[in-house]
Amino acid sequence: MATLLIADHDNTLINDATRKALSAAQQMGGSVQVLVAGHEAQRAAEAASRLDGVEKILLADAVFYGHGLAEPVADLIVALAPSFDAIVAPSTAFGKNILPRVAALLDVMQVSDVIRVLAPDTFERPIYAGNALQTVQVIDAKKVLTIRTASFDAAADGSAAPIELLSDRGDTGISTFVEETVVKSTRPELSSAKTIVSGGRALGSPEHFTQFIEPVADALGAAMGASRAAVDAGYAPNDWQVGQTGKVVAPDLYVAVGISGAIQHLAGMKDSKVIVAINKDPDAPIFQIADYGLVGDLFEIMPELQKALNASAS
Amino acid sequence: MKILVPVKRVVDFNVKVRVKPDGSGVDLANVKMSMNPFDEIAVEAALRLKEAGKAEEVIVVSIGPAQASEIVRTGLAMGADRGILVKTETTVEPLAVAKILKGVAEREAVNLVILGKQAIDDDCNQTGQMLAALLGWPQGTFASKLEVAGENLEVQREIDGGLQKLMLKLPAIVTTDLRLNEPRYASLPNIMKAKKKPLEEIAADTLGVDVLPRLKVITTTEPAGRVAGQKVASVTELVSKLKTEAGVL
């Protein structure tokens, strides 16, 4: 069993999602090599080489690999595929974009969002927004998998593996990168944060997110999230969306503020260790899955909570 | 330009599905079915391109049993010009769907296929990318903005941490994310008019593609439920319980 793990990175760092996908890849048994496709990505390759238990890093460096464009990256992976039994990527925007393209080029049916590895060819994955779990066995000889990162622990660093420089496979010329607006934040990344404070439509405005969610998130050292309703209303950026079609998270502590708890939202956070719900509606569905529920006006509770947290920290 | 919009008939997003006790799947008897919400956004995006004079024709296509024609009619009622139902009684996986859609896209000589980014039943998020691969076309997935610029398509995508803009050479594939648009409702007169619009039926096997499943579903189970915890009376009680009882502070 030889597995190729596709690294999600920013040309400098390997993200946590990749570490979690590595844990899943290692559960399948056999060796794992990591592909770092990027531009001036030597540092990312070096970071990948320190991942615990990886056999080798394959570095492909070219301008057109710099922004994770699906077309050239998929061609590169397909060229490497004959040496591997499985191709694995984290279920991030990057992985979800590229891997099905690879699977189709290899004439393989992909297994999306693996949450459990039961055997090297048998996996569990959620369907219907996590309201059902399906166990599937792959009939294709080659496995192509994306890994739901909230379900696996992040692999730690170990001894350094060798880095092999690959020649690029050329650009396809059918897609070009124009620009990217990525917000750099000092907060923990939403999908790997230990604590998350999320706001819903009840917040009412982007200013209220800043005024009522952010201070509590600061006090907890937490990432900030949002319900789809809040994102659609423009109160929070789209990559904050937690839910079936947004990010799926499983922090130690999830604080849902003014979120009623539609099944699509619950699908994105119900595996959190401890859930706190703050809502003025005592019948809100979120209370049915919350460990601790506080009924009341969030605009009064949140400042009070911030004070209490700061007091208990000092 | 001709635009193809594949639409899927799925369990309505408001329905909470039940897993069959014998593990054989999800109970779909007497459950409300609707067009996949992301596909509604795809239909809307195609109609807006047509209304802006960028496209001449919008074709909706669905793959499934006879009942899937209702979903095609929904697309026609929204404003699509004509519909196709590729009829099959068996379950088709995303790879097989992509192969069928390739056949339809080539037959209809379309320049753009707009699909929902994922279906809310199997949650696979694969078909658009697979179709792009099989056709050898570029892909703009998770799109939140779309503009035709001559022979190119400018797509703004939702990515982790923000937004990315790509320029794709037409013909191309786009998959829709939630923020692309707000789909229109079909008005009653348009629903009536849609009944007269052409809807062609094709048998899936006439397209000559291998649709045999590649994944063997062993069992379908209910996830471990979460039970409601306790209500706390005050912020002080909450913080103290998070500290001592839950141990997360």
Side-chain angles (χ1 to χ4, degrees):
Chain A
M1 182 88 194
T3 299
L4 178 65
L5 171 66
I6 316 301
D8 188 350
H9 63 90
D10 62 358
N11 295 310
T12 307
L13 293 169
I14 296 293
N15 66 16
D16 235 37
T18 304
R19 292 178 180 273
K20 293 177 174 190
L22 173 59
S23 295
Q26 283 167 339
Q27 285 180 22
M28 294 165 67
S31 62
V32 180
Q33 297 189 14
V34 181
L35 172 67
V36 176
H39 181 227
E40 295 172 349
Q42 181 66 28
R43 280 171 65 194
E46 283 162 12
S49 77
R50 291 188 294 270
L51 291 170
D52 195 24
V54 303
E55 186 185 57
K56 193 170 34 169
I57 308 304
L58 306 174
L59 170 62
D61 211 302
V63 178
F64 45 83
Y65 293 142
H67 298 280
L69 289 188
E71 298 79 10
V73 177
D75 285 354
L76 171 69
I77 297 170
V78 168
L80 297 169
S83 319
F84 296 94
D85 304 297
I87 296 164
V88 171
S91 273
T92 52
F94 166 82
K96 289 192 238 187
N97 182 39
I98 288 174
L99 225 56
R101 189 172 180 107
V102 171
L105 291 172
L106 295 172
D107 195 28
V108 167
M109 177 57 205
Q110 171 180 306
V111 182
S112 294
D113 276 328
V114 169
I115 56 170
R116 217 144 62 97
V117 177
L118 298 163
D121 66 347
T122 309
F123 310 95
E124 190 173 65
R125 61 175 303 264
I127 55 173
Y128 289 96
N131 285 301
L133 304 177
Q134 206 172 48
T135 301
V136 294
Q137 187 178 14
V138 181
I139 298 168
D140 291 307
K142 223 177 269 297
K143 280 92 196 147
V144 176
L145 317 166
T146 62
I147 307 298
R148 174 164 290 189
T149 52
S151 304
F152 294 89
D153 292 330
D157 278 349
S159 53
I163 299 173
E164 181 185 324
L165 195 63
L166 303 175
S167 52
D168 70 70
R169 306 290 304 185
D171 194 3
T172 57
I174 51 177
S175 61
T176 346
F177 170 81
V178 180
E179 62 178 18
E180 215 161 67
T181 40
V182 172
V183 182
K184 288 272 176 223
S185 164
T186 50
R187 278 178 200 288
E189 200 192 334
L190 181 57
S191 44
S192 58
K194 294 257 179 288
T195 309
I196 296 172
V197 184
S198 275
R201 197 189 344 231
L203 266 299
S205 71
E207 294 74 30
H208 285 167
F209 260 84
T210 317
Q211 202 179 334
F212 294 95
I213 300 292
E214 199 174 300
V216 172
D218 285 342
L220 288 165
M224 289 196 280
S227 69
R228 178 188 165 184
V231 174
D232 282 357
Y235 305 162
N238 61 62
D239 61 310
W240 287 18
Q241 188 190 321
V242 172
Q244 179 185 16
T245 58
K247 294 222 164 57
V248 178
V249 298
D252 290 341
L253 174 61
Y254 187 90
V255 185
V257 183
I259 292 176
S260 62
I263 51 173
Q264 289 81 7
H265 185 75
L266 303 187
M269 46 66 82
K270 67 182 165 55
D271 293 327
S272 306
K273 210 169 116 208
V274 174
I275 297 174
V276 170
I278 297 168
N279 204 298
K280 68 174 180 207
D281 173 10
D283 299 321
I286 189 83
F287 287 121
Q288 288 163 23
I289 63 146
D291 300 283
Y292 301 100
L294 183 51
V295 179
D297 184 354
L298 74 93
F299 298 111
E300 286 166 19
I301 291 172
M302 294 305 278
E304 209 184 314
L305 181 57
Q306 181 207 347
K307 252 183 248 162
L309 289 170
N310 286 337
S312 84
S314 59
Chain B
M1 180 157 79
K2 264 169 129 183
I3 307 177
L4 182 68
V5 185
V7 294
K8 185 175 184 184
R9 179 174 177 264
V10 299
V11 171
D12 188 86
F13 79 101
N14 277 313
V15 172
K16 189 176 186 307
V17 296
R18 281 189 321 117
V19 176
K20 290 188 202 165
D22 65 358
S24 65
V26 165
D27 193 357
L28 297 180
N30 305 315
V31 170
K32 187 186 176 201
M33 305 293 279
S34 299
M35 186 190 288
N36 180 43
F38 287 98
D39 303 348
E40 290 181 344
I41 297 172
V43 174
E44 179 66 37
L47 294 176
R48 288 188 189 184
L49 286 175
K50 190 186 167 190
E51 285 158 3
K54 306 283 189 190
E56 291 80 50
E57 192 179 28
V58 176
I59 308 164
V60 282
V61 56
S62 193
I63 301 166
Q67 296 94 310
S69 66
E70 295 158 19
I71 301 306
V72 179
R73 288 277 175 218
T74 307
L76 296 176
M78 287 174 76
D81 299 291
R82 62 191 171 91
I84 300 170
L85 172 65
V86 181
K87 225 171 149 183
T88 171
E89 296 296 330
T90 55
T91 310
V92 274
E93 293 170 344
L95 181 62
V97 169
K99 288 177 181 177
I100 291 172
L101 291 177
K102 174 177 187 266
V104 175
E106 285 171 346
R107 198 185 82 145
E108 299 294 337
V110 299
N111 323 68
L112 176 62
V113 184
I114 309 180
L115 310 87
K117 78 164 178 180
Q118 85 191 58
I120 60 163
D121 51 4
D122 60 26
D123 284 333
C124 274
N125 194 333
Q126 297 176 1
T127 306
Q129 297 87 316
M130 287 183 157
L131 179 59
L134 298 178
L135 287 165
W137 294 1
Q139 65 190 53
T141 54
F142 326 143
S144 59
K145 218 182 205 172
L146 204 56
E147 244 166 87
V148 177
E151 298 298 297
N152 295 302
L153 190 68
E154 197 177 73
V155 183
Q156 177 182 283
R157 310 178 53 231
E158 296 193 358
I159 58 166
D160 293 333
L163 298 166
Q164 183 184 62
K165 204 178 271 179
L166 300 180
M167 193 67 91
L168 308 180
K169 222 176 233 168
L170 288 165
I173 302 285
V174 167
T175 77
T176 62
D177 216 317
L178 295 168
R179 261 64 63 175
L180 182 57
N181 60 50
E182 215 166 294
R184 68 194 66 187
Y185 289 103
S187 66
L188 190 60
N190 284 340
I191 293 172
M192 300 313 287
K193 256 192 262 169
K195 291 186 177 159
K196 296 203 184 78
K197 288 186 181 173
L199 198 170
E200 181 193 2
E201 268 188 29
I202 319 173
D205 44 28
T206 60
L207 289 166
V209 295
D210 165 24
V211 297
L212 283 178
R214 308 288 190 83
L215 300 180
K216 189 171 151 197
V217 179
I218 296 173
T219 172
T220 305
T221 56
E222 192 133 6
R226 247 192 125 97
V227 286
Q230 48 182 307
K231 291 260 167 74
V232 291
S234 67
V235 166
T236 322
E237 190 189 346
L238 175 66
V239 172
S240 124
K241 289 214 157 149
L242 287 177
K243 223 175 197 172
T244 54
E245 205 175 87
V248 287
L249 288 188

